[in-house]
Amino acid sequence: MDSVDTQPPFVIAALLAGRLYRMLETAKTMSISSSNAKCISIRGGTKTVGFKPLSDYISDMAKDTISISSKISSIALQFSITAVNEKRALSALSDFTKVINKISDQNKKDSLYFINNKLETKITSLRQQQFDYCQLLTILFDDIAQRIRAAKIIVINSRTEASRAEEYQNNLFSIADNLESCSEDIASEIKTCRFYLVNLKNMIETE
Amino acid sequence: MKSTIIYNGKYKWIAFGRDPDKPEKIIDTNQYMVVDGSRSLLMDPGGIEIFSSMLAAVLHHTDIENLTDIFASHQDPDIISSLGLWDQALPEAKLHAPWIWEGFIRHFGLNNISYNSIPDEGQSVNLNTAKLVFIPAHYLHSSGNFHVYDPEAKILMSGDVGAALEPADASMYVEDFSEHINKMKLFHQRWMPSNRAKQDWIDRVRKLDIEYMAPQHGRIFKGDNVKRFLDWFEGLDVGIAVK
């Protein structure tokens, strides 16, 4: 796991967007495996009939995971862009403040105060946007995590169904192994991403 | 940000570009990265406006700890104005850039990353297995300018040479060279200042074994299109703003 202790929010948000790509790739693998399972369950007729609803569920879940991961990745990227903009606005605010402290003419100071006020408004708005992104990301991660928990149970059931599938047993066991491995990978990625998200939330709340 | 793997051997070369999130009025740029296990070289990482998209795209291919080296072919803002942000993201990294621009590039914010000054005659850099060469391209267009050549992958990262002005959804590779000329002509005539520098570069580059020529704007030249480009560039009169 990348160390985030010393990283600014715009880097952590980009790290999050980057990690989501891995989740997306795993979900695609999961989708392919569940399509294979569907084909076998159709070919196997009554021997594999119990496997079909399970593979349908996994297939739908993989598609949803792809869709939600893409959405999270896009929001995380917007978060990073917003955090960069906040950093630039903060830097400008600091520079203008230094100038204000160096000049004595009140009219000139007032014109710079006007700019600083606008910057402060912008910074407040950018922070609010980041807070909103955090909230949204938390909801979306909870959604994926819930689906993955369900997928793990489904994979266990699919092993029971596979054991009844006679000559299709080995193929279905192999697919169940693959689905289980994908579920574990996605669960692990969710854990990492949530860790980043908690760091981001803490940073925003302490700003 | 779209990423395209252009070489996949002992290590990888990846091209980044066509960023749908970039502000409309800034020029589209190509960034390149060599990923070689625990070492990676990011070439011409781009302007401050594309930093977030670029970092997220880079992290699809490597971990942040493995992003150890940055290269700036010259000092332009579309090349390296994001430096102040990379400086915070990669405090242990090394920036390889022309010696003449050190004092200028530091204006973008360089407090943590160390600056390796590339001498005028060029330099080599070894990652883990990748051995790359910074070859001089002075006055093409910047007065202190380098390209990156990889003899193993046969790739020349050619900075602004070969650049074309294209829409953001253009293909990554040159398909029809004759048709592509219109997109490159003015750029080379107006941005490149010296016919002498141009000829010197062509003479040196013709001796290299190149399969891909990868510019910082526009499309990548592959195979015979590299030779076509060199022939076309040789016949082009540059520095046209001075009558």
Side-chain angles (χ1 to χ4, degrees):
Chain A
M1 195 182 296
D2 299 313
S3 170
V4 294
D5 299 345
T6 53
Q7 295 288 14
F10 63 86
V11 173
I12 299 175
L15 281 170
L16 194 62
R19 299 263 345 177
L20 260 301
Y21 179 77
R22 298 177 198 191
M23 201 190 293
L24 209 64
E25 292 301 304
T26 313
K28 282 179 189 167
T29 308
M30 210 169 192
S31 178
I32 293 165
S33 284
S34 59
S35 297
N36 290 339
K38 264 186 184 180
C39 290
I40 293 171
S41 63
I42 292 165
R43 217 183 321 142
T46 52
K47 292 171 189 168
T48 54
V49 70
F51 210 85
K52 191 174 177 304
L54 304 178
S55 60
D56 284 346
Y57 177 85
I58 298 280
S59 176
D60 289 346
M61 196 228 59
K63 278 179 199 153
D64 289 347
T65 304
I66 291 168
S67 161
I68 298 169
S69 301
S70 305
K71 201 171 173 184
I72 294 178
S73 183
S74 168
I75 293 166
L77 185 57
Q78 288 309 314
F79 189 120
S80 179
I81 291 168
T82 309
V84 165
N85 288 339
E86 187 205 338
K87 185 188 151 39
R88 292 168 77 180
L90 279 169
S91 172
L93 184 70
S94 162
D95 291 342
F96 281 120
T97 305
K98 281 179 196 161
V99 177
I100 288 168
N101 293 336
K102 279 181 186 168
I103 56 176
S104 50
D105 184 307
Q106 192 55 45
N107 286 337
K108 286 175 184 165
K109 275 191 175 198
D110 286 346
S111 64
L112 292 177
Y113 279 132
F114 176 73
I115 296 170
N116 265 9
N117 288 341
K118 274 174 48 176
L119 278 170
E120 278 165 357
T121 307
K122 185 178 175 182
I123 289 163
T124 305
S125 159
L126 290 168
R127 280 187 181 157
Q128 182 60 47
Q129 280 177 47
Q130 288 171 68
F131 183 78
D132 293 344
Y133 286 140
C134 259
Q135 300 289 89
L136 192 52
L137 288 171
T138 305
I139 293 167
L140 291 171
F141 274 121
D142 286 349
D143 190 351
I144 288 195
Q146 202 175 353
R147 284 162 200 264
I148 288 294
R149 275 197 298 274
K152 281 181 174 175
I153 296 165
I154 296 285
V155 168
I156 293 166
N157 290 342
S158 70
R159 284 189 193 287
T160 314
E161 289 302 326
S163 65
R164 295 176 192 148
E166 298 180 16
E167 71 266 33
Y168 299 99
Q169 201 180 86
N170 287 343
N171 282 341
L172 291 178
F173 272 135
S174 162
I175 287 169
D177 287 346
N178 188 260
L179 290 172
E180 187 172 30
S181 160
C182 288
S183 305
E184 294 292 341
D185 287 351
I186 292 178
S188 163
E189 283 301 323
I190 290 171
K191 194 177 168 191
T192 306
C193 290
R194 277 181 155 166
F195 170 74
Y196 290 153
L197 196 55
V198 167
N199 272 273
L200 273 174
K201 269 182 165 174
N202 291 341
M203 283 179 177
I204 292 167
E205 279 162 12
T206 53
E207 269 178 347
Chain B
M1 178 85 69
K2 185 177 167 186
S3 65
T4 309
I5 296 174
I6 53 177
Y7 174 78
N8 197 354
K10 291 175 196 158
Y11 50 88
K12 281 183 191 172
W13 269 78
I14 302 150
F16 302 92
R18 316 298 190 257
D19 179 16
D21 294 308
K22 88 175 170 54
E24 196 185 337
K25 288 190 175 175
I26 64 171
I27 188 169
D28 191 49
T29 51
N30 299 330
Q31 292 70 234
Y32 298 95
M33 179 167 70
V34 173
V35 177
D36 188 9
S38 61
R39 297 275 305 272
S40 299
L41 173 74
L42 181 58
M43 287 164 262
D44 287 353
I48 195 164
E49 295 286 353
I50 65 160
F51 171 80
S52 294
S53 301
M54 193 54 211
L55 176 57
V58 159
L59 294 172
H60 292 172
H61 301 278
T62 190
D63 291 331
I64 198 161
E65 291 87 351
N66 298 337
L67 197 45
T68 52
D69 296 75
I70 298 176
F71 165 77
S73 61
H74 60 289
Q75 82 294 0
D76 275 353
D78 65 324
I79 299 288
I80 192 68
S81 68
S82 57
L83 183 63
L85 299 173
W86 290 108
D87 187 65
Q88 293 199 24
L90 313 171
E92 308 296 326
K94 186 184 275 189
L95 171 69
H96 308 269
W99 73 269
I100 69 164
W101 296 123
E102 178 169 356
F104 297 73
I105 284 176
R106 283 184 181 276
H107 276 280
F108 290 130
L110 193 69
N111 298 312
N112 301 303
I113 290 176
S114 58
Y115 193 106
N116 171 46
S117 296
I118 308 174
D120 277 345
E121 62 273 22
Q123 203 174 53
S124 296
V125 63
N126 296 339
L127 300 178
N128 285 320
T129 51
K131 298 181 189 319
L132 309 171
V133 189
F134 301 135
I135 66 164
H138 306 311
Y139 303 103
L140 292 172
H141 67 91
S142 171
S143 44
N145 208 128
F146 292 93
H147 295 162
V148 183
Y149 178 59
D150 180 342
E152 169 84 22
K154 299 180 184 175
I155 297 172
L156 176 69
M157 197 290 268
S158 61
D160 282 312
V161 176
L165 302 173
E166 296 247 33
D169 58 351
S171 160
M172 281 306 289
Y173 291 97
V174 174
E175 284 141 15
D176 181 340
F177 184 81
S178 304
E179 190 260 341
H180 194 60
I181 287 173
N182 286 336
K183 295 168 186 164
M184 304 190 286
K185 192 174 175 186
L186 178 66
F187 187 92
H188 288 79
Q189 287 179 317
R190 185 64 183 83
W191 265 266
M192 303 296 163
S194 162
N195 284 310
R196 191 175 141 213
K198 179 195 76 171
Q199 194 56 51
D200 174 75
W201 179 86
I202 291 169
D203 292 342
R204 283 183 289 113
V205 164
R206 278 210 170 111
K207 292 174 189 158
L208 304 175
D209 187 4
I210 301 171
E211 182 60 24
Y212 294 93
M213 194 182 102
Q216 198 238 339
H217 307 281
R219 304 185 189 206
I220 297 168
F221 299 81
K222 190 180 171 190
D224 290 342
N225 279 337
V226 176
K227 185 182 179 303
R228 285 191 191 104
F229 173 80
L230 295 175
D231 292 344
W232 170 80
F233 192 32
E234 187 165 37
L236 188 74
D237 194 30
V238 301
I240 60 164
V242 179
K243 306 291 180 194

